């Protein structure tokens, strides 16, 4: 009997509740929590922390010591044992990535975890202390046509990189400057827009080999598509007078002006 009741409840949830929430997310508890972030950091700067091989624990410690606001992603926790730094905002929107580490993420003691509600609804991924957001996947052929949300309480437009999600969050929160670190934009294995696999044996994927030990289960990154996504991000930030800089130590992302990380302090 209980199984029957549970199935009926799940059916009602999927058929009526979830579509309503998706269309009126700003009225939900999580939507209201997101709305409370509007303009909270007006005029300040933030750092978006990638997980590339250039990421250094000492740089994160510097961010910690200087009290910088940071966004970080996915399995960045693999560097926590080397630094007291913890991200102000943690984001994970890749269902394959998060499904392989949901138990770990659920137990992390972090200030704010941001997870798409769709991962809870459709993939049964539950992070108990998360703020869920309404993820709107962009069904557009050209990333240069991607939308950019000015109301994250209602929806966030997702793209081929979590950095695009973080940029919308940062814009809504009022940041005037965004700095990338650890965004090498170059992988040992990637796929191009023709669907061809590209291998570069001289390159590591991440700051630690533990990061993607389950890489056979993960998406293969498409750096050609993500380059266009970064160009779209720059255009959207330029329109909102938000300056974006790349403070990564090396790497191949040349969409944004380069600055030396050490010169920022």
């Amino acid at each position: 009997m209980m199984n029957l009741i549970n199935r009926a409840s799940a059916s009602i949830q999927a058929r009526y509740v979830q579509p309503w929430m998706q269309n009126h997310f700003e009225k939900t508890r999580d939507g209201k929590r997101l709305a409370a972030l509007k303009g909270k950091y007006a005029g300040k700067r933030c750092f978006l922390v990638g997980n590339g091989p250039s990421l250094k624990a000492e740089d994160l410690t510097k961010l910690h010591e200087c009290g910088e606001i940071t966004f970080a992603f996915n399995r960045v926790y693999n560097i926590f044992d080397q630094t007291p730094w913890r991200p102000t905002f943690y984001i994970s929107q890749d269902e394959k990535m998060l499904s392989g580490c949901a138990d770990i993420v659920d137990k992390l003691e972090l200030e704010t975890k941001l997870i798409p509600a769709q991962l809870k609804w459709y993939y049964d991924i539950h992070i108990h202390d998360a703020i869920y957001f309404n993820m709107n996947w962009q069904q557009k052929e050209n990333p240069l046509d991607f939308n950019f949300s000015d109301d994250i309480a209602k929806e966030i437009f997702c793209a081929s990189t979590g950095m695009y999600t973080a940029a919308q969050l940062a814009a809504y929160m009022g940041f005037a400057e965004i700095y990338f670190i650890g965004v090498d934009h170059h992988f040992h294995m990637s796929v191009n827009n023709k669907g061809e696999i590209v291998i570069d044996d001289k390159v590591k994927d991440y700051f630690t080999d533990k990061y993607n030990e389950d890489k056979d289960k993960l998406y293969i990154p498409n750096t050609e598509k993500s380059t266009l996504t970064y160009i779209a991000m720059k255009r959207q930030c330029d329109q909102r007078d938000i300056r974006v800089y790349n403070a990564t130590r090396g790497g191949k992302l040349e969409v944004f002006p380069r600055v030396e990380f050490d010169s920022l302090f």
Side-chain angles (χ1 to χ4, degrees):
M1 176 63 71
M2 285 303 299
N3 286 339
L4 184 61
I5 293 173
N6 289 339
R7 286 199 297 271
S9 176
S11 176
I12 292 170
Q13 181 85 3
R15 187 171 182 180
Y16 299 107
V17 178
Q18 290 169 7
W20 183 89
M21 291 178 69
Q22 195 156 352
N23 291 324
H24 305 88
F25 203 82
E26 70 279 5
K27 297 179 181 179
T28 67
R29 175 176 174 269
D30 286 308
K32 292 175 181 178
R33 292 173 74 187
L34 290 166
L37 296 172
K38 185 174 179 64
K40 183 176 180 178
Y41 300 99
K44 296 184 180 295
R45 72 180 185 180
C46 66
F47 288 77
L48 274 54
V49 180
N51 295 312
S54 68
L55 186 64
K56 294 181 178 293
E58 52 265 38
D59 291 344
L60 297 175
T61 299
K62 186 69 174 179
L63 295 176
H64 169 75
E65 292 172 347
C66 294
E68 301 288 350
I69 307 299
T70 57
F71 293 76
F73 308 85
N74 296 326
R75 296 177 181 176
V76 68
Y77 57 78
N78 281 299
I79 207 169
F80 285 178
D81 62 347
Q82 302 174 47
T83 175
W85 168 85
R86 297 295 182 269
T88 317
F89 299 99
Y90 169 88
I91 302 170
S92 188
Q93 67 184 40
D94 180 338
E95 78 280 0
K96 289 190 176 183
M97 179 72 70
L98 187 55
S99 66
C101 60
D103 290 344
I104 297 173
V105 172
D106 187 60
K107 294 174 183 175
L108 293 176
E109 295 184 6
L110 299 176
E111 187 172 337
T112 304
K113 302 173 188 174
L114 295 157
I115 308 292
Q118 284 75 8
L119 268 59
K120 176 175 62 174
W121 297 341
Y122 306 132
Y123 297 94
D124 200 27
I125 298 174
H126 296 267
I127 306 299
H128 81 279
D129 55 348
I131 298 178
Y132 290 96
F133 62 88
N134 184 24
M135 180 173 66
N136 188 332
W137 281 111
Q138 310 210 47
Q139 304 298 323
K140 298 186 177 183
E141 292 275 334
N142 188 348
L144 297 179
D145 297 327
F146 281 171
N147 293 322
F148 191 96
S149 178
D150 286 313
D151 187 358
I152 65 170
K154 183 177 181 180
E155 62 187 346
I156 296 178
F157 294 99
C158 292
S160 58
T161 170
M163 296 291 173
Y164 197 84
T165 296
Q168 292 167 84
L169 288 159
Y172 188 80
M173 294 177 191
F175 287 103
E177 294 180 342
I178 297 173
Y179 293 87
F180 286 2
I181 67 167
V183 184
D184 293 68
H185 197 51
H186 194 194
F187 296 90
H188 171 254
M189 178 184 291
S190 60
V191 60
N192 61 27
N193 285 339
K194 296 178 181 178
E196 300 166 338
I197 299 296
V198 180
I199 302 290
D200 188 341
D201 289 327
K202 301 187 296 296
V203 177
K204 288 179 60 177
D205 285 328
Y206 299 102
F207 61 84
T208 175
D209 292 337
K210 292 192 301 182
Y211 190 96
N212 63 338
E213 289 177 328
D214 58 344
K215 56 188 171 186
D216 292 343
K217 300 178 181 178
L218 304 178
Y219 291 113
I220 300 173
N222 181 333
T223 51
E224 290 185 2
K225 184 175 181 179
S226 56
T227 296
L228 294 175
T229 302
Y230 284 124
I231 293 172
M233 173 182 162
K234 185 178 188 304
R235 289 180 179 178
Q236 297 286 356
C237 288
D238 286 346
Q239 291 171 14
R240 293 162 176 80
D241 294 322
I242 301 169
R243 297 178 296 279
V244 186
Y245 302 96
N246 186 4
T248 298
R249 297 184 184 277
K252 290 199 169 186
L253 180 60
E254 305 300 344
V255 171
F256 307 98
R258 289 272 191 171
V259 296
E260 292 291 334
F261 178 82
D262 297 314
S263 72
L264 300 174
F265 307 94

